[in-house]
Amino acid sequence: MFLFGLDIGGTKIELRAYDADMTECLRMRIPTPKDSFDNFIDAVVNIINKADVTLKCKGRVGIGIPGSESQRDKTIFAPNVPAIDGRVIRDLIESRIERPIYIDNDANCFALSESKNDELSSSDHVLGLILGTGFGAGLAIKESCYHGANNMALELGHTPLNISAFEVLSKDKEAPLLQCECGAVGCLDRYLSGTGFEDLYEYYYKERFSAPEIIEAYHNNQHNAVTFVDRFANLLSCSIAPFINAFDPDVVVFGGGLSNFDAIYPLLNERIDSFTLSRDKTPYLVKARYGDSSGVRGAALLAKPL
């Protein structure tokens, strides 16, 4: 038996296959069709069929999406993937690959994967935050994803900036009001993501650099980068503090491209107490154990028989 995990992103679709012991056996990646629904379905079906042929079996399929599937009519909410936003994907994929699929939010998959980690075996409440193309979140409670009444729990990326975050952004300059893909203004998705990291730097310093370039400048002790990272650490800390107050996790695990900025974790851990309510034990903020593969690993775990 093989478990196939698919991670659907705004730019790529990644498939990884695992055996029963969750040892990775296969990895494939293709571009995400952005505008054509038919091309998207074809791409997903083709990559699954290719994995079947390569491993000489029909794998069990779990899919992580940057959004949610309606329990009522199976439509997908995924503003960052226009090809499938508002459409039904389950029925077409299942009919063409001739087996059931398991769909969940990509951040839930990430949290699920990190909760099934021997190093976190004493942590029953794992809050996963993804700092990627957008800002996503998932909550695993005793190694099970929390979904809410409408499969839309933990859509924290579409939470508006709080007053503390607005004050951080307003220091020395009027705060930027950025429009989200969902149509609203001020969503955390536009500020706490890797894209937001780059956009905010450009707003304050009138120069466009990639996140890795800004991070390199920070490590080289360049003034603008050091000042900006200090502001961003404050912004991230005060933005996630209400979620720590609300969900009271044992640990907060970060994934996504920006989570690879190792130097930010000491900054977050030394500040988070000042933004959260007093508690017996403040959750530790850590980098994902399984790195960039954690979301796709969690998607595969969706398909694992109970």
Side-chain angles (χ1 to χ4, degrees):
M1 178 191 73
F2 289 97
L3 304 176
F4 295 172
L6 277 77
D7 183 32
I8 308 296
T11 58
K12 55 86 179 171
I13 296 172
E14 182 172 10
L15 181 148
R16 298 195 190 193
Y18 301 83
D19 64 16
D21 296 321
M22 293 307 295
T23 299
E24 184 180 315
C25 305
L26 178 68
R27 182 185 305 188
M28 295 186 288
R29 178 180 289 191
I30 57 174
T32 302
K34 295 185 176 181
D35 300 314
S36 170
F37 176 75
D38 290 339
N39 288 348
F40 177 91
I41 297 297
D42 286 343
V44 171
V45 169
N46 289 341
I47 198 172
I48 293 171
N49 286 339
K50 186 175 180 180
D52 286 345
V53 171
T54 301
L55 295 174
K56 298 181 174 60
C57 77
K58 283 195 170 186
R60 295 173 61 91
V61 179
I63 299 177
I65 59 171
S68 59
E69 182 186 47
S70 168
Q71 293 183 358
R72 176 175 54 84
D73 60 12
K74 301 181 184 177
T75 54
I76 297 295
F77 169 75
N80 292 334
V81 188
I84 61 172
D85 190 35
R87 304 292 296 269
V88 177
I89 67 172
R90 176 185 293 276
D91 295 345
L92 280 172
I93 295 172
E94 288 185 337
S95 65
R96 289 181 58 181
I97 66 172
E98 299 179 331
R99 77 203 83 158
I101 62 175
Y102 303 85
I103 298 176
D104 208 333
N105 176 266
D106 55 358
N108 280 342
C109 294
F110 169 74
L112 176 64
S113 173
E114 290 299 316
S115 73
K116 292 181 179 293
N117 171 357
D118 291 342
E119 292 182 9
L120 299 181
S121 59
S122 62
S123 300
D124 286 339
H125 302 81
V126 176
L127 177 61
L129 300 178
I130 297 180
L131 311 177
T133 305
F135 172 64
L139 179 64
I141 301 174
K142 296 184 178 179
E143 299 187 352
S144 294
C145 295
Y146 176 70
H147 297 104
N150 297 286
N151 261 6
M152 295 187 71
L154 280 292
E155 284 288 348
L156 304 188
H158 300 288
T159 303
L161 293 163
N162 63 45
I163 188 63
S164 296
F166 194 81
E167 288 174 351
V168 169
L169 291 170
S170 300
K171 184 180 179 182
D172 306 323
K173 186 174 182 178
E174 184 177 345
L177 296 178
L178 306 176
Q179 185 166 20
C180 180
E181 294 285 347
C182 75
V185 173
C187 289
L188 292 181
D189 197 72
R190 289 291 286 110
Y191 297 85
L192 304 187
S193 58
T195 306
F197 186 79
E198 296 169 352
D199 289 345
L200 288 173
Y201 187 92
E202 181 179 17
Y203 176 78
Y204 289 110
Y205 300 107
K206 305 304 180 185
E207 293 182 294
R208 184 73 185 185
F209 294 110
S210 68
E213 288 172 332
I214 297 168
I215 291 168
E216 182 180 2
Y218 172 82
H219 287 308
N220 290 332
N221 208 32
Q222 293 184 15
H223 175 75
N224 285 353
V226 171
T227 302
F228 174 72
V229 168
D230 181 73
R231 186 198 298 263
F232 190 82
N234 281 331
L235 173 65
L236 184 54
S237 297
C238 69
S239 295
I240 67 173
F243 309 135
I244 291 174
N245 289 339
F247 303 116
D248 194 21
D250 297 298
V251 62
V252 180
V253 184
F254 289 88
L258 200 56
S259 72
N260 294 315
F261 183 15
D262 292 336
I264 204 167
Y265 294 103
L267 301 179
L268 297 176
N269 280 299
E270 71 187 19
R271 297 166 199 227
I272 197 65
D273 266 344
S274 64
F275 292 111
T276 57
L277 295 172
S278 177
R279 61 194 66 229
D280 293 338
K281 181 183 178 184
T282 300
Y284 201 57
L285 281 56
V286 299
K287 182 179 177 179
R289 163 79 179 277
Y290 298 103
D292 294 339
S293 68
S294 203
V296 71
R297 179 178 180 269
L301 285 168
L302 296 176
K304 191 170 186 177
L306 299 177

